């Protein structure tokens, strides 16, 4: 009788852990998506930087702000693109750290689930024998 | 190369049917992703080549030539060609660079070459992934045949 209560408790615990694991996996998937977006943006900005570097100082650069093409100073455009590249790189690094942390949590959650499952199994085996 | 292939094959022999199936599915999925990327690159390359042709055509037109300017998809307005030597190039992230006709053509060339080399690299990786998927499938088949007669 005591073992049935313990069994129920363990199964409840298992459910909770399984829910936690699902949430962790969703977070990891979202992290991947955001990382993909940032990586694409980084690539695009690096291309732009390359083009800007090829220009002579007197070439005209325009930026599209809404429906308006605004003339920009080459130095300013360079600075802007470089700043964006730095920002995106920093974001990517941050995401990498978060991803590692999430994956560690996922692994330890999986182990914990496994242990609970084993306890449930041994309890059920014990009950079966009795 | 041959010995490496055999090495991978030996590892796969030890895996269970379930693992082999999962591996094959994953390899197939990755290969499909590569195919999509390859198609995208091909489309982009085609568009760049059209742009390059249009540029070249524009360079042949004399200044002051009458033309129809698209304002919307269904509205064209008559106008005359001003300076065909200066072109605005969209380089991404909202930046446009004023270039000469020659530089514009060079830009298109550069982009097309970049895409072509990316395409070749991707093709290499995709072919390798396909061969892994095929090998996994073959071993899976062989294993299934082994198991079936016993049952």
């Amino acid at each position: 009788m005591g073992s049935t209560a313990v069994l129920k408790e363990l199964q409840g615990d298992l459910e909770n852990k399984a829910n936690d694991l699902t949430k962790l996996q969703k977070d990891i998937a979202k992290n991947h998506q955001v990382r993909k977006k940032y990586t694409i943006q980084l690539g695009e900005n690096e291309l732009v930087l390359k083009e800007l570097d090829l220009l002579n100082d007197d070439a005209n650069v325009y930026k599209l702000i809404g429906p308006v093409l605004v003339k920009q100073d080459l130095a300013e455009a360079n600075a802007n693109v470089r700043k964006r590249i730095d920002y995106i790189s920093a974001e990517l690094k941050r995401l990498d750290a978060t991803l590692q942390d999430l994956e560690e949590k996922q692994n330890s959650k999986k182990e914990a689930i496994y242990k609970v499952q084993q306890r449930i199994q041994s309890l059920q085996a014990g009950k079966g024998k009795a | 190369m041959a010995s490496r292939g055999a090495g991978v094959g030996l590892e796969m022999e030890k895996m269970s049917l379930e693992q082999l199936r999962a591996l094959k599915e994953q390899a197939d999925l990755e290969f499909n992703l590569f195919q999509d990327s390859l198609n995208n690159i091909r489309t982009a390359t085609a568009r760049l080549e059209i742009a390059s042709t249009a540029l070249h055509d524009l360079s042949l037109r004399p200044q002051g030539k009458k033309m129809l300017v698209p304002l919307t998809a269904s509205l064209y307005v008559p106008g005359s060609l001003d300076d065909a030597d200066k072109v605005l190039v969209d380089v991404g992230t909202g930046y446009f660079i004023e270039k000469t006709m020659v530089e514009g053509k060079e830009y298109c060339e550069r982009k097309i070459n970049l895409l072509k080399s990316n395409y070749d690299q991707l093709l290499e990786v995709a072919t390798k992934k396909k061969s892994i998927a095929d090998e996994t499938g073959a071993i899976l088949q062989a294993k299934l045949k082994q198991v079936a007669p016993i049952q």
Side-chain angles (χ1 to χ4, degrees), chain A residues 44-45 48 51 54-55 60-64 69 72 77 80-81, chain B residues 86 88 91-99 103 107 110-111 114:
Chain A
E44 204 182 340
N45 274 290
V48 177
E51 283 302 320
L54 285 174
L55 290 178
N60 291 327
V61 179
Y62 300 85
K63 185 164 163 68
L64 190 68
L69 260 185
Q72 285 239 307
N80 272 337
V81 177
Chain B
K86 293 264 177 68
L88 268 180
V91 291
T93 72
Y95 277 99
F96 289 73
I97 302 181
E98 195 180 59
K99 288 184 183 284
E103 284 172 0
Y107 176 84
R110 248 180 297 147
K111 276 280 160 1
L114 180 67

Side-chain angles (χ1 to χ4, degrees), chain A residues 31-45 84 87-95:
Chain A
N31 187 295
H32 278 300
Q33 256 188 326
V34 180
R35 264 176 110 231
K36 211 161 96 166
K37 200 177 78 155
Y38 274 137
T39 314
I40 294 179
Q41 283 184 352
L42 186 67
E44 204 182 340
N45 274 290
R84 234 180 115 60
Y87 171 75
I88 295 179
S89 307
E91 279 295 305
L92 272 178
K93 268 207 202 122
R94 201 175 55 85
L95 280 173

Side-chain angles (χ1 to χ4, degrees), chain A residues 17-76:
Chain A
K17 289 204 161 59
N19 287 338
D20 288 341
L21 187 67
T22 319
K23 187 168 170 310
L24 275 173
Q25 284 172 331
K26 270 198 208 149
D27 286 340
I28 289 182
K30 217 171 65 156
N31 187 295
H32 278 300
Q33 256 188 326
V34 180
R35 264 176 110 231
K36 211 161 96 166
K37 200 177 78 155
Y38 274 137
T39 314
I40 294 179
Q41 283 184 352
L42 186 67
E44 204 182 340
N45 274 290
E46 282 184 351
L47 274 183
V48 177
L49 193 64
K50 256 195 236 161
E51 283 302 320
L52 289 177
D53 282 339
L54 285 174
L55 290 178
N56 296 324
D57 283 334
D58 59 352
N60 291 327
V61 179
Y62 300 85
K63 185 164 163 68
L64 190 68
I65 302 181
V68 181
L69 260 185
V70 180
K71 188 150 158 46
Q72 285 239 307
D73 183 32
L74 181 60
E76 203 184 316

Side-chain angles (χ1 to χ4, degrees), chain B residues 31-46:
Chain B
F31 179 67
N32 281 338
L33 283 174
F34 285 144
Q35 286 282 62
D36 284 341
S37 297
L38 281 171
N39 281 338
N40 283 342
I41 295 186
R42 252 183 296 186
T43 316
T45 316

